[in-house]
Amino acid sequence: MVHFVGAGPGAADLITIRGKELIEKADVIIYAGSLVNPKLLDYAQKGCEIHDSSRLDLDEVINIMLKAEQDNKTTVRLHTGDSSIYGATREQMDILDRKGIEYDTTPGVSSFCGAAAALNMEYTLPGISQSVIITRIDGRTGVPERESVEALSSHGATMVFFLSAGQTKRLSDRLISAGVSKDTPCALVYRATWPDEQKYVCTLEQLPQVAKEHNIDRQALIIVGQAVAQSGYELSKLYAPSFTTGYRKGKDVYEK
């Protein structure tokens, strides 16, 4: 059996209880060493076979899984954050399907949640933005034209850019050229929830300079949108005294 486990955004205590228990029981662990906190490996049992996938290609990863299956061992495939976001898990699962090997997935806390927590930020502020776009700028790997930064920026939603910290100038220039105000609030969050976490709030125009000043060109998320300012929003109707829900009756606003 292979368990795909989301390792969380960085801090070792932000893995789920289920994920921790799977690590404790694993015979083999394959982890993304470039991104996953190695402290999570402290949960592994003595004698557990551990492989750093940052030094492996897909075939090598699969061969480790196949060998573990042949030896009747349990494998944990430990991915950073939540494996459903830029986790490259589907290609592994398709091969396991063809080989008739069972697997399951345990979700993890994504770094976009960790970044919001670092900023004490709410992404979906009433009257400001009710949608979050998770994306990245095109680089060595392209993106569909319909998902270009220019196309996505037209929605006015809060945008969270993964895998883009090394291209802050190009990202800023393209968004501004697409019509996004140069004064749009931005946040740059480096290694959210790690001990060396850094976080900076600036404008879209200032973003490249902030990244340069702090030598940030990887392992950081970029958040773009008015929600970053955390101001000017409407109060939630859910908690308005006059709002009726399935759990309480709204009060007459004219009641004395």
Side-chain angles (χ1 to χ4, degrees):
M1 181 75 171
V2 176
H3 301 284
F4 289 87
V5 176
D13 59 352
L14 283 178
I15 193 169
T16 64
I17 293 173
R18 182 186 299 177
K20 177 177 177 288
E21 290 176 346
L22 287 170
I23 291 173
E24 291 170 338
K25 297 173 183 176
D27 301 303
V28 177
I29 295 174
I30 308 170
Y31 79 109
S34 58
L35 296 169
V36 169
N37 191 336
K39 288 184 178 295
L40 289 169
L41 302 177
D42 292 344
Y43 298 138
Q45 63 181 323
K46 185 177 180 180
C48 179
E49 183 183 323
I50 296 175
H51 301 269
D52 179 356
S53 64
S54 67
R55 303 177 184 278
L56 307 174
D57 61 29
L58 178 60
D59 288 340
E60 290 170 326
V61 169
I62 295 298
N63 285 337
I64 292 170
M65 294 178 180
L66 294 179
K67 177 65 165 56
E69 286 297 308
Q70 290 170 0
D71 295 339
N72 199 30
K73 293 181 177 180
T74 298
T75 300
V76 163
R77 179 65 170 109
L78 195 57
H79 283 268
T80 184
D82 181 88
S83 61
S84 69
I85 301 177
Y86 302 114
T89 54
R90 187 67 258 165
E91 60 197 44
Q92 298 171 71
M93 294 174 179
D94 284 343
I95 296 173
L96 295 180
D97 283 338
R98 292 196 293 270
K99 300 290 185 181
I101 295 173
E102 289 187 68
Y103 58 86
D104 60 19
T105 301
T106 296
V109 178
S110 172
S111 58
F112 89 92
C113 298
L119 297 163
N120 291 315
M121 175 185 171
E122 182 178 347
Y123 282 118
T124 52
L125 292 174
I128 301 295
S129 174
Q130 288 291 285
S131 302
V132 180
I133 296 175
I134 295 172
T135 189
R136 63 174 179 81
I137 194 170
D138 58 294
R140 289 192 299 172
T141 302
V143 300
E145 184 61 32
R146 65 183 180 278
E147 295 180 24
S148 69
V149 296
E150 292 84 358
L152 294 179
S153 69
S154 67
H155 297 286
T158 307
M159 303 181 73
V160 182
F161 290 91
F162 281 66
L163 307 170
S164 304
Q167 300 193 60
T168 52
K169 181 66 166 63
R170 183 164 168 256
L171 176 62
S172 175
D173 287 347
R174 286 178 59 178
L175 287 173
I176 291 171
S177 294
V180 180
S181 171
K182 65 181 182 181
D183 296 321
T184 300
C186 290
L188 180 65
V189 184
Y190 171 77
R191 287 168 64 89
T193 79
W194 290 75
D196 58 347
E197 170 190 284
Q198 297 178 50
K199 52 190 176 183
Y200 305 98
V201 175
C202 59
T203 66
L204 181 57
E205 184 180 41
Q206 295 167 339
L207 177 64
Q209 186 59 34
V210 170
K212 182 178 180 180
E213 286 176 358
H214 299 283
N215 298 312
I216 297 174
D217 61 4
R218 65 188 64 193
Q219 295 190 35
L221 290 187
I222 300 164
I223 307 170
V224 180
Q226 293 299 327
V228 174
Q230 295 289 281
S231 63
Y233 58 89
E234 300 170 5
L235 296 182
S236 169
K237 288 186 171 56
L238 179 61
Y239 296 105
S242 61
F243 197 72
T244 296
T245 73
Y247 297 93
R248 65 179 175 84
K249 186 177 183 304
K251 300 174 183 176
D252 188 332
V253 295
Y254 298 106
E255 286 182 3
K256 300 292 185 181

